[in-house]
Amino acid sequence: RIMEKRKLIEMGTLSRGRSQHRPRNDSKLYGGKYPFIQTGDVKNSNLYIEKYSQTYNDFGLNQSKLWPENTLCITIAANIADTGILSFPACFPDSIIGFTATKGKTDVRYVKYCFDLLQKSIQNMSKGSTQDNLSMEKLAQLEFNCPSFENQQKIAAVLSSLDDKISLNNRINAKLEQMAKRLYDYWFVQFDFPNADGKPYKSNGGKMVWNEELKREIPEGWEVKKLGEILILLKDGTHNPPKRQEKGIPLLTGTMFGNNFLDYDKATYISEADYKIIHSQYEPHENDVIITKIGTLGNVNLLRNIDIPLAIHCNSALLRFDMALGVYYPFSYCKSDLFKMRLKAIKGQSIQEFASLDRISSIKSEVPCVDIINKFDKIVKPIIEKQKSISFENKKLKEMRDKLLPLLMNGQVVVK
């Protein structure tokens, strides 16, 4: 297959994101119907950008621009050279550059995979004396291996078939997450768990009693305890993070958490000697719950099928619950909006959100009857195990895609 070198500017058009109004976080800009994509949304995307956290209103749109679907978003500040293709029209700021592929000449998916292949070298090129950034001038002059349009489409079709499956799996996992969350809220926030006749408890006249500690009614027979009273162990990681290395004992951080699955591709490692010092009195066990307690409070993961030693980063806390509470009820509680609200209510007064172990231990919690906990666990277990299975499948799909990427893009493997 013939491969020629072509500059990005020869493959389509480039235009910088626009957000003219100051301050950029002015509430007057937001809350409308126009998606507003930020660098974090690009970083967290797969092939296509499908999610966003903010929207512009008409005032916001007037000081920006609406880029069309299939625009390739390229980050040039903060996260350098992260890319994602818009799956809908959207606005974005000047920390993102939009690339529109020339119709019939360039496949935008192929260009996205070019960036995936060369991201690290582009990042090295962008390093500056103060803050790393990538100018539009440098971006325009980037050269890529570029086969014919037909071969671009063939390569993109192979790689995107894997990415499409990953995206589908992500959507399935999101729906499973919603199912588990909805069930928890229905049973333990609205108190409509099944009564003796299998009907919703509170909605069918189940007896409620006022609890002065929580300032709310709870079902008769339930208790209220501090979290510390239902935990066997509450520990945090090392406050003096040891030297990181390329191999060794994985150090758990919040970035590894996702869909009840630990992503070891994002792990950093410490030596076995450092691990023994950190965890001389305890080791993470099966069914332990890990939550982040600094910065973004309340990211949660359940440790399942542990077959290697793990270390806990100081930004997280390890919670080991009394097994009388089951496995999935306490985990679901820690993932719930109710727990996050209580966690944020007890955070310290520092600039950065922080919850000490003492404060975590002091959180008051409803403790349901054991039979209700057991019923909940039986329903939720297959949901969470399915999430984990899907996440593991995605890991394998990503490994396959990443192995194929350089082979296809460099012409070592030809698609017929």
Side-chain angles (χ1 to χ4, degrees):
R1 187 174 73 225
I2 298 172
M3 281 276 194
E4 61 174 308
K5 290 280 187 182
R6 286 169 61 191
K7 294 178 180 178
L8 185 60
I9 195 63
E10 297 170 342
M11 302 170 75
T13 57
L14 292 164
S15 56
R16 189 159 186 168
R18 191 181 303 165
S19 51
Q20 296 172 320
H21 184 79
R22 297 295 183 271
R24 293 181 182 181
N25 61 351
D26 193 333
S27 60
K28 291 189 296 185
L29 299 168
Y30 301 101
K33 63 180 181 179
Y34 307 105
F36 178 59
I37 303 302
Q38 301 181 76
T39 55
D41 299 316
V42 180
K43 184 177 182 64
N44 293 328
S45 67
N46 195 38
L47 175 58
Y48 289 94
I49 298 170
E50 298 177 313
K51 295 188 292 186
Y52 51 91
S53 55
Q54 285 188 303
T55 58
Y56 271 158
N57 53 30
D58 288 333
F59 179 72
L61 177 63
N62 287 338
Q63 56 85 55
S64 186
K65 173 185 171 181
L66 196 67
W67 274 263
E69 181 182 350
N70 286 325
T71 298
L72 178 67
C73 294
I74 309 164
T75 61
I76 59 170
N79 311 311
I80 300 291
D82 285 326
T83 54
I85 302 169
L86 290 180
S87 59
F88 41 74
C91 303
F92 47 79
D94 54 9
S95 54
I96 296 173
I97 285 179
F99 170 82
T100 305
T102 302
K103 192 173 181 180
K105 184 179 177 182
T106 306
D107 188 311
V108 70
R109 297 171 301 169
Y110 179 83
V111 178
K112 198 284 191 222
Y113 290 123
C114 285
F115 274 91
D116 287 351
L117 181 65
L118 299 174
Q119 184 175 24
K120 287 187 178 178
S121 61
I122 294 170
Q123 289 172 340
N124 290 334
M125 181 186 74
S126 309
K127 290 191 179 297
S129 55
T130 52
Q131 185 177 10
D132 294 350
N133 63 79
L134 180 62
S135 69
M136 191 150 80
E137 292 73 21
K138 286 181 180 178
L139 199 57
Q141 297 304 311
L142 287 175
E143 287 190 331
F144 301 122
N145 285 337
C146 193
S148 67
F149 180 59
E150 182 184 4
N151 282 325
Q152 290 178 43
Q153 290 180 306
K154 287 180 179 179
I155 292 169
V158 171
L159 295 171
S160 65
S161 65
L162 297 170
D163 274 322
D164 288 345
K165 176 59 176 171
I166 291 168
S167 294
L168 175 62
N169 280 346
N170 286 338
R171 289 192 290 274
I172 294 171
N173 257 346
K175 287 184 179 179
L176 291 170
E177 186 74 18
Q178 290 171 2
M179 286 172 56
K181 181 180 184 301
R182 194 177 296 122
L183 184 70
Y184 177 88
D185 289 344
Y186 192 59
W187 282 33
F188 302 114
V189 178
Q190 300 175 42
F191 303 124
D192 269 334
F193 53 88
N195 65 12
D197 299 320
K199 296 179 179 179
Y201 180 84
K202 187 176 179 181
S203 297
N204 284 271
K207 188 170 182 181
M208 305 290 291
V209 294
W210 177 259
N211 184 271
E212 188 61 31
E213 290 180 278
L214 295 178
K215 306 295 183 187
R216 67 182 302 209
E217 287 188 328
I218 62 172
E220 185 179 43
W222 287 27
E223 297 181 273
V224 173
K225 293 184 177 181
K226 292 180 180 178
L227 208 60
E229 296 177 296
I230 55 176
L231 287 170
I232 298 171
L233 183 68
L234 176 60
K235 289 283 186 180
D236 56 11
T238 173
H239 287 279
N240 297 298
K243 184 179 178 181
R244 310 293 174 84
Q245 50 188 52
E246 291 187 8
K247 293 184 178 180
I249 308 295
L251 181 64
L252 263 63
T253 63
T255 57
M256 293 174 63
F257 298 178
N259 290 318
N260 313 314
F261 179 80
L262 291 174
D263 187 351
Y264 288 99
D265 291 340
K266 297 177 182 177
T268 55
Y269 298 87
I270 62 173
S271 70
E272 190 170 340
D274 283 331
Y275 171 76
K276 288 178 179 177
I277 294 171
I278 296 167
H279 295 295
S280 58
Q281 296 180 325
Y282 73 98
E283 291 182 2
H285 285 180
E286 185 88 355
N287 300 327
D288 286 346
V289 175
I290 311 296
I291 66 169
T292 53
K293 62 186 182 67
I294 298 175
T296 304
L297 292 180
N299 285 346
V300 183
N301 201 279
L302 177 68
L303 297 187
R304 298 287 289 164
N305 305 120
I306 299 176
D307 53 6
I308 58 173
L310 299 170
I312 308 296
H313 190 273
C314 63
N315 287 357
S316 298
L318 180 149
L319 287 69
R320 187 171 299 159
F321 285 87
D322 186 332
M323 286 308 295
L325 295 173
V327 173
Y328 300 99
Y329 167 72
F331 173 58
S332 298
Y333 173 56
C334 290
K335 291 193 78 170
S336 69
D337 293 336
L338 179 63
F339 178 78
K340 287 179 181 177
M341 178 187 72
R342 290 171 176 172
L343 185 65
K344 290 192 174 186
I346 55 91
K347 72 180 180 65
Q349 299 300 312
S350 59
I351 296 174
Q352 187 180 35
E353 288 191 320
F354 171 72
S356 68
L357 294 187
D358 286 344
R359 290 193 169 105
I360 292 171
S361 180
S362 71
I363 294 175
K364 292 185 174 66
S365 307
E366 300 89 343
V367 180
C369 299
V370 173
D371 63 324
I372 300 300
I373 290 173
N374 291 338
K375 287 177 183 177
F376 179 81
D377 264 30
K378 286 180 182 177
I379 296 172
V380 172
K381 179 180 179 179
I383 296 175
I384 291 176
E385 292 301 315
K386 181 64 175 176
Q387 281 186 296
K388 181 175 179 179
S389 172
I390 289 173
S391 295
F392 184 75
E393 182 186 358
N394 270 2
K395 182 176 184 294
K396 294 298 182 184
L397 288 168
K398 288 175 183 177
E399 288 172 354
M400 189 186 307
R401 179 199 62 196
D402 293 345
K403 284 179 181 178
L404 277 173
L405 181 65
L407 299 175
L408 288 167
M409 303 299 282
N410 294 327
Q412 293 167 269
V413 172
V414 178
V415 185
K416 300 294 186 183

